[in-house]
Amino acid sequence: MSSATLLIDNIGELSTQDWEGRTPAAAAASVLRDAAVVLDGERIAWVGPSSSAPATDERYDAGGRAALPGWVDSHSHLVFAGDRTAEFEARMAGQAYAAGGIGVTTAATREASDDELRRLLAVRLAEASAGGTTYLETKTGYGLDVRNERRSAMLAAEAADAVTYLGAHLVPAGADPEEYTDLVCGEMLDAVRPYVQWADVFCERGAFTEEQSRRVLIACREAGLGLRVHGNQLGPGAGARLAVEVGAASVDHVNFLDEADIEALAGTWGDWAGPDSAEGAGTVATVLPACDLSTRAPLAPARRLLDAGVQLAIASNCNPGTSYTSSIAFCVTTAVLQMGLSVQEAVRAATFGGALALRRHVGRDEDGQRAVGSIALGHRADLQLLDAPSATHLAYRPGMPLVHAVWRAGKRVR
């Protein structure tokens, strides 16, 4: 231990999420009672029973509270201006959701100054942090021209942990779809490339066709970006199968999957060596419960996906049109109460699962890219304490503000 060390002890229940497999026994083994964690700078230096904790520079008494990893939000859209309350009200009155509402946000985002977008982004990140999120991905996609996509990517890179290029969010009004797809694959991609690690495409009716989506994904892969896909949200489609075909790290939404889609996703995990390995990691299915509720869509089949052997993530999809919340706790609660997951399965999907979808589930001291989403030796010191004796209270007491304290990379942020 080289820097100032902090002992967090008297933890009533510690959910480490460093377990392999999905069995109840494996999940139970990752839950420690009367536990303690030592933080050494940005890293986790020790985990074990309070009675065996080493001496440290400082001590924090958890008071019997539950501790778990900070949430890893692997899908958000935080760089935007404007308001779509009227669209939400219309949807609640029975109007179906369609992709075209994105254009309203695009117009407002283009008009906003850099400083205004920075301010809005900072507010949204602070809200997420207060809710226990310690690692967050966000996307471009409300610029939809070269200048504004580059600007969105640059601003996101200043603040978020991971940035995804989503120039293929919607074809702007008046643009030719094929010409715009060429722009996304060429000049626009070149403009954002210095600021992003991932690329995404909205493969859906009203957005991008299967062939257009494939072109975007292949161009972005050739540019060295990791891949993600918005798919199977508005109806059956090619999104999940395309994600498997191109080796995407995740396919997100997945409300409308048939058995062939689920089988294809499960097949990507056959060679995975487990939680401590990046080798053989397949395509994560990311479910977005808050979005499902806001659009009154069928809930994504999280239970079927898990039972088939697909690795699952839960994310907020925070955006102005269909899921204006960064509360992962709300998403976890929904997954338990309405999607058939156990509390431990839902917590794992919102921590380790999100890290897996971003390929940040591995990495220790050797390369400085410490793993997030689980509490284990050498991982980044991201954790939250709940004002509750167990994580079960997230679903048992839905909607209650249970976050007591949050550490991100070893620093207390709440």
Side-chain angles (χ1 to χ4, degrees):
M1 299 181 184
S2 56
S3 54
T5 55
L6 171 67
L7 170 67
I8 304 173
D9 69 350
N10 194 18
I11 297 171
E13 175 190 275
L14 173 63
S15 299
T16 63
Q17 298 306 315
D18 60 344
W19 50 283
E20 184 170 358
R22 296 179 294 104
T23 66
S30 77
V31 178
L32 308 179
R33 312 290 177 183
D34 191 20
V37 177
V38 173
L39 312 186
D40 182 7
E42 296 185 358
R43 67 188 286 271
I44 294 171
W46 185 89
V47 180
S50 285
S51 60
S52 302
T56 57
D57 299 315
E58 300 177 46
R59 174 180 177 266
Y60 184 93
D61 185 349
R65 295 178 176 89
L68 57 152
W71 305 126
V72 179
D73 192 346
S74 61
H75 184 131
S76 76
H77 306 251
L78 300 185
V79 186
F80 69 86
D83 181 88
R84 283 161 67 183
T85 303
E87 176 189 329
F88 176 80
E89 291 176 341
R91 196 163 62 245
M92 293 305 99
Q95 180 177 308
Y97 169 66
I102 293 165
V104 175
T105 302
T106 298
T109 303
R110 288 176 177 179
E111 292 175 2
S113 68
D114 287 4
D115 285 344
E116 177 63 3
L117 289 176
R118 280 193 182 96
R119 184 189 69 80
L120 292 169
L121 178 58
V123 168
R124 290 161 192 153
L125 288 169
E127 290 173 342
S129 178
T133 296
T134 53
Y135 195 91
L136 182 142
E137 177 266 13
T138 200
K139 308 175 193 297
T140 72
Y142 294 126
L144 304 186
D145 61 25
V146 173
R147 174 184 173 274
N148 284 291
E149 281 296 295
R150 180 186 181 278
R151 182 171 72 130
S152 294
M154 178 188 69
L155 295 174
E158 292 175 358
D161 296 289
V163 183
T164 299
Y165 168 45
L166 186 57
H169 201 183
L170 188 74
V171 177
D176 177 81
E178 293 302 315
E179 291 179 359
Y180 183 73
T181 301
D182 289 341
L183 182 69
V184 170
C185 295
E187 183 183 357
M188 188 182 288
L189 172 58
D190 293 339
V192 303
R193 182 63 190 89
Y195 308 104
V196 302
Q197 301 83 45
W198 298 93
D200 201 345
V201 60
F202 194 8
C203 181
E204 198 67 68
R205 67 174 186 263
F208 290 81
T209 67
E210 177 181 357
E211 183 50 39
Q212 290 164 347
S213 298
R214 182 179 288 106
R215 285 168 55 197
V216 170
L217 292 167
I218 290 174
C220 291
R221 183 174 64 191
E222 291 176 349
L225 299 180
L227 303 181
R228 335 189 66 74
V229 176
H230 277 58
N232 302 76
Q233 178 188 6
L234 305 181
R241 296 191 301 276
L242 180 59
V244 170
E245 175 191 323
V246 300
S250 75
V251 57
D252 302 21
H253 286 289
V254 295
N255 301 84
F256 295 89
L257 297 178
D258 59 27
E259 290 306 317
D261 295 325
I262 294 175
E263 183 178 346
L265 289 168
T268 67
W269 293 98
D271 295 327
W272 187 42
D276 287 330
S277 175
E279 296 299 321
T283 301
V284 174
T286 302
V287 299
L288 309 169
C291 180
D292 296 351
L293 295 180
S294 177
T295 58
R296 292 183 171 167
L299 292 167
R303 180 76 268 156
R304 286 167 54 207
L305 286 159
L306 272 183
D307 289 344
V310 180
Q311 293 293 321
L312 193 73
I314 293 173
S316 74
N317 190 28
C318 185
N319 76 84
T322 62
S323 185
Y324 202 177
T325 179
S326 59
S327 175
I328 297 293
F330 173 74
C331 297
V332 165
T333 298
T334 301
V336 174
L337 297 182
Q338 299 194 46
M339 300 174 83
L341 301 191
S342 71
V343 172
Q344 282 296 327
E345 287 171 335
V347 168
R348 180 173 172 79
T351 54
F352 178 84
L356 184 57
L358 294 170
R359 299 304 194 247
R360 283 302 310 273
H361 63 295
V362 294
R364 296 178 185 267
D365 296 330
E366 293 79 12
D367 57 8
Q369 292 294 311
R370 298 186 182 93
V372 297
S374 53
I375 297 174
L377 185 65
H379 290 197
R380 200 170 89 168
D382 292 356
L383 67 156
Q384 55 180 312
L385 284 179
L386 303 182
D387 264 326
S390 75
T392 299
H393 280 237
L394 291 164
Y396 178 50
R397 304 189 67 210
M400 300 305 294
L402 296 180
V403 177
H404 176 78
V406 179
W407 285 265
R408 181 184 184 276
K411 294 182 180 180
R412 187 170 177 186
V413 295
R414 176 182 168 86

